[in-house]
């Protein structure tokens, strides 16, 4: 997968793109990620990329021209992919959306700054706006890192195990991930659940499913409405929650 970042602060991505899983995936040729500085595309004498908004208001707005020219430079025909703007007003980033984007040949991610960007560049050069949460960041660079991390790990071969992404929160039928344990078997008088130690994979699978249901019900009950749960599992979950509330 190829990912192009349009930003006025390309140096913010240096350590992010060269570390951990993403760094190894780039070295292996699974990911081709490049940050392009928008500033050199500015036609202004001082290469500025912002100006005061028409109609007044606080802060500065990113100019359309430098962004448009940078976008043209990285999306020369034939371009196949999605052009994305990181924005608090965009559609929420979900695991399902990340899965869709991981199937794209290329992604171009525009990182806004200041009070945003001229709407005209969004109208002509952006296919979709994506938000990473209901809050405001200083710039789109950190949001773009979240998107890249989320999408990249779904690209075949990026994770060490093909099962890793499928077992995580929001991937297992819309449920949160079950608890996991490693050595030692006993830590500060807390023991690993016995079911995980007996080698019975059917029982382990059942326990993990039940724990995922309980974790979702307790931490994100809003997810249960859309999760893939059988009627029997809903009854079991209701009984467990009722018993738990009775003990409180």
């Amino acid at each position: 997968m190829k990912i192009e970042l349009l930003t006025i602060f390309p140096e913010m991505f240096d350590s992010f793109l060269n570390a951990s899983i993403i760094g190894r995936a780039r070295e292996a040729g699974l990911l081709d990620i490049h940050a392009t500085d928008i500033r050199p595309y500015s036609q202004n004498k001082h290469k500025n990329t912002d100006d005061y908004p028409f109609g007044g208001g606080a802060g500065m707005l990113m100019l359309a021209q430098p962004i448009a020219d940078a976008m043209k430079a990285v999306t020369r025909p034939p371009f196949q992919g999605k052009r994305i703007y990181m924005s608090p007003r965009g559609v929420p980033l979900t695991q399902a959306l990340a899965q869709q984007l991981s199937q794209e040949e290329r992604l171009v991610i525009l990182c806004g700054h200041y009070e945003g960007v001229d709407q005209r560049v969004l109208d002509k050069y952006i296919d979709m706006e994506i938000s990473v949460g209901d809050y405001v960041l200083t710039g789109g660079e950190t949001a773009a890192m979240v998107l890249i991390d989320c999408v990249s790990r779904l690209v075949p071969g990026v994770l060490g195990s093909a099962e890793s992404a499928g077992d995580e929160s929001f991937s297992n039928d819309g449920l949160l991930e079950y608890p996991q344990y490693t050595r030692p078997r006993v830590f500060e008088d807390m023991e690993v659940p016995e079911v995980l130690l007996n080698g019975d994979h059917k029982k382990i699978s059942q326990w993990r499913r039940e724990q995922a249901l309980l974790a979702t019900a307790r931490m994100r009950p809003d997810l249960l409405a859309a999760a893939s749960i059988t009627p029997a599992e809903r009854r079991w979950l209701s009984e467990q929650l009722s018993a738990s509330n009775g003990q409180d």
Side-chain angles (χ1 to χ4, degrees), residues 12-13 16 86 111 132 137-148:
M12 290 183 66
F13 294 95
F16 170 74
M86 305 308 300
C111 305
V132 295
L137 299 170
T138 302
E141 286 77 13
T142 46
M145 293 179 196
V146 172
L147 178 63
I148 292 170

Side-chain angles (χ1 to χ4, degrees), residues 34-53:
H34 179 258
T36 292
D37 191 349
I38 296 172
R39 293 183 189 276
Y41 290 92
S42 174
Q43 296 176 2
N44 292 334
K45 178 180 179 180
H46 299 292
K47 296 297 181 181
N48 61 299
T49 59
D50 63 298
D51 206 339
Y52 295 101

Side-chain angles (χ1 to χ4, degrees), residues 11-156:
E11 65 275 10
M12 290 183 66
F13 294 95
D14 290 346
S15 60
F16 170 74
L17 295 178
N18 291 300
S20 189
I21 291 174
I22 291 179
R24 292 194 295 271
R26 292 179 72 207
E27 289 180 358
L30 298 171
L31 297 175
D32 181 359
I33 308 177
H34 179 258
T36 292
D37 191 349
I38 296 172
R39 293 183 189 276
Y41 290 92
S42 174
Q43 296 176 2
N44 292 334
K45 178 180 179 180
H46 299 292
K47 296 297 181 181
N48 61 299
T49 59
D50 63 298
D51 206 339
Y52 295 101
F54 284 123
M60 306 290 279
L61 204 63
M62 290 186 70
L63 296 163
Q65 177 272 313
I67 297 174
D69 284 356
M71 183 68 75
K72 292 173 188 175
V74 301
T75 59
R76 293 188 180 93
F79 173 76
Q80 298 292 329
K82 281 283 189 296
R83 300 167 299 176
I84 298 166
Y85 174 52
M86 305 308 300
S87 166
R89 71 181 186 185
V91 298
L93 175 61
T94 63
Q95 192 69 14
L97 177 55
Q99 183 66 56
Q100 293 176 21
L101 294 176
S102 71
Q103 307 300 314
E104 294 287 344
E105 182 177 327
R106 291 185 64 190
L107 299 178
V108 178
I109 305 174
L110 171 61
C111 305
H113 226 78
Y114 310 119
E115 293 301 312
V117 307
D118 190 306
Q119 181 64 39
R120 291 169 293 185
V121 81
L122 301 181
D123 292 341
K124 186 170 183 178
Y125 296 101
I126 294 297
D127 299 311
M128 67 185 308
E129 298 183 32
I130 295 179
S131 168
V132 295
D134 294 337
Y135 46 85
V136 179
L137 299 170
T138 302
E141 286 77 13
T142 46
M145 293 179 196
V146 172
L147 178 63
I148 292 170
D149 190 287
C150 186
V151 172
S152 295
R153 60 204 327 280
L154 297 173
V155 174

Side-chain angles (χ1 to χ4, degrees), residues 209 227-235:
R209 176 70 177 181
S228 299
I229 305 175
T230 67
E233 286 177 330
R234 290 191 181 276
R235 288 194 297 271

Side-chain angles (χ1 to χ4, degrees), residues 188-242:
E188 296 186 354
D189 297 327
M190 295 179 288
E191 296 188 19
V192 174
E194 185 65 29
V195 66
L196 300 178
L197 306 172
N198 61 22
D200 189 327
H201 295 293
K202 184 176 181 179
K203 289 184 178 180
I204 291 173
S205 179
Q206 180 181 352
W207 179 87
R208 286 176 170 172
R209 176 70 177 181
E210 291 172 349
Q211 293 302 308
L213 287 166
L214 286 171
T216 306
R218 290 167 177 165
M219 300 179 191
R220 288 291 305 276
D222 57 298
L223 297 175
L224 291 176
S228 299
I229 305 175
T230 67
E233 286 177 330
R234 290 191 181 276
R235 288 194 297 271
W236 176 87
L237 183 57
S238 179
E239 292 171 358
Q240 296 298 311
L241 293 175
S242 297

